[in-house]
Amino acid sequence: MQRSPRRRIPTSAPATASSDRSDLAELAAAVAYLVSDDASFVAGTELVVDGGFRAR
């Protein structure tokens, strides 16, 4: 029986739909918003911070 060739696991995330790589500061800003008083009325929602990756 032959083994199938091993696939390489990418070491970095693919580019987003906007062709930019994510920045940790952008994710941190979303987290900071969610824990701030500005988000006190936000409930039951999903905040997607992926640069449009899902939109592809």
Side-chain angles (χ1 to χ4, degrees):
M1 182 188 318
Q2 279 187 327
R3 286 187 170 185
S4 60
R6 291 188 174 196
R7 286 192 259 166
R8 293 187 100 188
I9 298 173
T11 56
S12 64
T16 61
S18 64
S19 299
D20 293 333
R21 297 246 179 225
S22 62
D23 184 2
L24 189 56
E26 293 168 329
L27 180 58
V31 172
Y33 165 71
L34 288 173
V35 299
S36 73
D37 289 337
D38 292 337
S40 64
F41 205 68
V42 175
T45 190
E46 181 178 356
L47 179 62
V48 179
V49 184
D50 67 359
F53 185 77
R54 281 180 161 186
R56 290 203 259 182

